[in-house]
Amino acid sequence: MLKVSNLTHQVSLETDTLTILQGVSLEINRGESVAIVGRSGSGKTTLLGLLAGLDTPTEGTVELDGAVISKLSEDERAKLRAQRVGFVFQSFQLLPALTALENVMLPLELGGVESPGKKARELLERVGLGERLNHTPRQLSGGEQQRVAIARAFASDPVVLFADEPTGNLDNRTGQAVSDLLMALNREQGTTLVMVTHDERLARRCARQFNIEAGVLSEPNVQRVAEPVS
Amino acid sequence: MAASRKLMSIRRDWRERDVRVVLAALMIAVATVATIALFASQLQRTLVTSASSFLAADRQLEAENGRPIPERWLDEARNRQLETGEMVEFSTMVFGADNFQLVAIKAVSNEYPLRGQIEYQREPGQPRELVSQGPAPGEVWINPRLLRLLDIEVGDSLEVGNLQLTVSGLLVREPDGGFRLSALAPRVMMHVDDVQATEVIQEGSRVEFVYLFAGEEASLESYYQWLEPQLEPSHEWEGVRDGETFSRSLQRAESFLLLGGSLAVMLAAVAVAVASRQYALSQRDTVALLKTLGVRSRGIGNLYLKRLGLWGLAGAAGGLAIALPLYWLMSRILSDVLEREVDYQLDPAALAPALLTALVALFAFAYPPIRRLRNVPAMRVLRSQPGESGREALPDMVIAVLAVFGLVWMYAGDVSLVLALLGGLALLLGTLALLGWLMVLSLRKISGGGNAWRLALVGLYRHRRASLSQMAVFAMTLMLAATLILVRTSLLADWQAQLPEDTPNHFLINIAPDMVDDIDDFWQERGQPLDTLYPMVRGRLTGLNGDPVREAVTKDEGVGALNRELNLTWMDSLPADNEIVEGEWFAPDQTTGVSVEAELAGRLGLQVGDRLTFTIGSEKVTEPITSIRTVQWDSMKPNFYMAFPPGGGLEAMPATWITSFYLPGANKSALNEFSRQYPTVSVLEIDHIIQRIQDIVQQVTQAIEAILALILAAALVVMAAVVSATLRDRQREGALLRTLGGRQSLLVRSTMLEFALLGLFAGILGVVAAEAAVWALQFRMFEGQFQWHWAVVLPIPVFSAIVLALFGRWQLRPVLSVSPMLLLRRLE
């Protein structure tokens, strides 16, 4: 499903070159949930960007659902994202001028789905915001905004969902509720989940965990742990 | 509403501050350019028709030989779809019950006047009316002064030759009256069909038949082509003459309006550029997000292109919605001043520049930064990417500058204007670079601290790139506004100087040589001294260097001087407002030579040393040109194309004398006494014409002030656009300063100081650049003398410092009203 081999990413600075990722390889199967854990500056966000095709690596390949995305053009990657990838961001990234409903409708409309309003409404009801359809992000709390973002992420029926610190901007309780929702939806839809976090508890809810430190990826305990029921 | 369509909607866009600035700038640009262009084209048409109404037609054919022209000439004109009219002018005695008086009769046909209107009064003291037809057969309209001179009233009868006519009204002003020195006053107007019955006109009487023509310019031209070979020397074909009194005032007003329009275009372009760059920056997150959602670069390009198109439509529609009522108002004012209807006409040629301005401003200025949005990396959603360097924007700027100057060129049609403005801008940017270097050098060592001044200077230094680019925009804006203010000031001063309070408003014509001293004394005694008295001899220019002048002068087309008798004079000293441009004025005892007016010399190709032959009656006088001089035609004093020295060949010719003088309205009754004492002298009253010119100048001035206000509004929009561009950064910085324990008052003082310094520098730069541009413009467009304008120049930097300091204070509002933590989170 997602196959990464020997991924290296470097950034040129004025005086020298900074290596952010070094020889990263991993393979993720369809329907798996994976957490990548690391401290700030360890390279985990860069890795997520490369996996999702938001950026291209200096070396190595990323193969997503059969397509080598590191070899695709920006436009081809955009098409791939529109059809198969969903995102949840730490800072929600909702468009402030659109209502909750309109934010969720956006990817559906971009994908040419007929009557996008219906599906968007269903999804918002599913995440518990059926009463807040016409509120703009500014009128919603952080947890509510992230729930809208989750609804939007699942709107296009992605095969893989990337989440970047999805609870990073939320308090513990809200974070817990949001991660419950994310996991539940992931299970219902059979989506592959790749999540970057520094929250060990959240990471443990995923089937596999990777550590990343100074740009090097490792999988400490290769054991399949069933998700605890919360 | 569908979300993606909502993304595209104007209403949504309007909520974004930067879009509002772009739209406001566009609307002001379209409004200003459209209003100015419409009004300028109106002025142009008014100019032509005003000048035409001086002839009461588009063209006149005068027969000075005392014989009517062949009827088939008029038939031919009518065949060519021209309107025609006729009038007969002669002098004769008229008789009231007890008195008699020499008058100048103008007998007109039903069609008179073809252009302009007659102003008349039913009775003394009644309101003046504008009518398009002269008196009916059996009636006369007379100059109001005749009532007193003849001791008659409206309704009485007046004897003209053998015919009794009824005085049915008072003639206040005839459209073709005022300015012809050959006209004799006072005037009596009658119907042309009555002329025969008066039996005044006998073989050999001095009478002038005048024919009026009006119609399409092309028909007039082709008719003249047909007519010209058949004309005799005594026939004079007259079109709209150059140098007519207020045509120059209106032309300058038009130049000013065009300049104003050009500056409006540039200001709006700057505003659009700044605002759309800011908008593009603020859209990068949205674009990155759209890309992660799978929209391709092309899709993004299309999305924003459509949006630009929408803005263009909204800007153009909004601009026109402002422009049309404004133009309507201006043409109302104009028609009030001119005391006649001016057509409210939406000239498409005048609307085109406005729409083109919107288009160019959008695509040369707004599109480039927005087009680059396509290149925003999708990765931006996870981590902000380095901003774009200024380098990629450079080619865009070159294109944009070329586009806007092309626009100004197309608009004002004047290369020197474009070059003057470009030069001013280059000077401005050069000085700015120097100033930037000095700033880095001098401010580097200052470190921050609890002092508002230090904080302000450190602020300027730390944001030196932003400070300099803001200063560039402010200075440019101020330069454009200052240029306009300066030109307006000198234009108005120029007009006032042109027609001072005591401008001569009466001419005395036909003064016999032996009366000159008596008349001089007459007015001296009444405290209204005469200007210089000039002898006047009527003659034609017939020869150049021994050849007939029609053959010698190749470009004789439209040279009226060859077609009509010229007023020749002799004078010993050069009139104060004349200026020698070539050759030398007559030496004290010189009796040979002739001085020629410069424009005529230019049109005829005359040089100092050419020998001119004049035919005066049956005599010929030949003299070499010794000097060429300029003449102030609108000085309201007697002016002459040809001046001879005293004691020359002209003195032997029969001459009458002419002069002008200023007579205040309160003393007008002295004219009656004068006319009784010197019945043969003609008095030409032009006080109402001068009044009219002063009115027009005043109203055009108001129009100019209105345009200036529009331009200054545009300048403020630009300033707002630039200041709002840094709003978020400033607020975040202010919040941080407060978090770190800075007092509110310190924050307020240092921010206001920083902006005040920015405004002061920008103001000084802008004013210096404006002076440079005006210096260049003054030579070409407004023919004035350049001088520093301290009174205008000094307040501008002070003003801009104050305005910017207030802008700065205003920006800080949100920083001061909420807790810094809250603000930092909101601004994240």
Side-chain angles (χ1 to χ4, degrees), chain A residues 13 20 26 34-35 37 46 50 71-72 78 85 89 98 109 115-116 153 164 172 174 180 189 214 221-222:
Chain A
L13 298 178
I20 296 175
L26 85 159
V34 173
V37 187
T46 305
L50 293 174
K71 287 192 180 151
L72 297 180
V85 179
F89 304 102
L98 302 189
E109 287 176 341
S115 61
D164 176 30
N172 268 343
T174 317
D180 287 350
Q189 313 262 331
N221 40 354
V222 193

Side-chain angles (χ1 to χ4, degrees), chain B residues 35 38 318-332 344:
Chain B
T35 311
L38 285 169
L320 288 182
I322 300 171
L324 298 184
L326 213 58
Y327 164 58
W328 181 81
L329 204 69
M330 283 183 161
S331 54
R332 281 299 83 196
Y344 177 76

Side-chain angles (χ1 to χ4, degrees), chain A residues 90-130:
Chain A
Q90 178 176 4
S91 50
F92 322 137
Q93 298 283 8
L94 300 176
L95 291 185
L98 302 189
T99 62
L101 183 66
E102 287 163 346
N103 264 294
V104 179
M105 279 162 68
L106 197 57
L108 296 169
E109 287 176 341
L110 291 171
V113 173
E114 274 180 45
S115 61
K118 185 165 170 283
K119 181 159 188 193
R121 206 170 285 118
E122 282 168 10
L123 273 164
L124 279 169
E125 274 160 15
R126 172 68 189 82
V127 300
L129 291 174

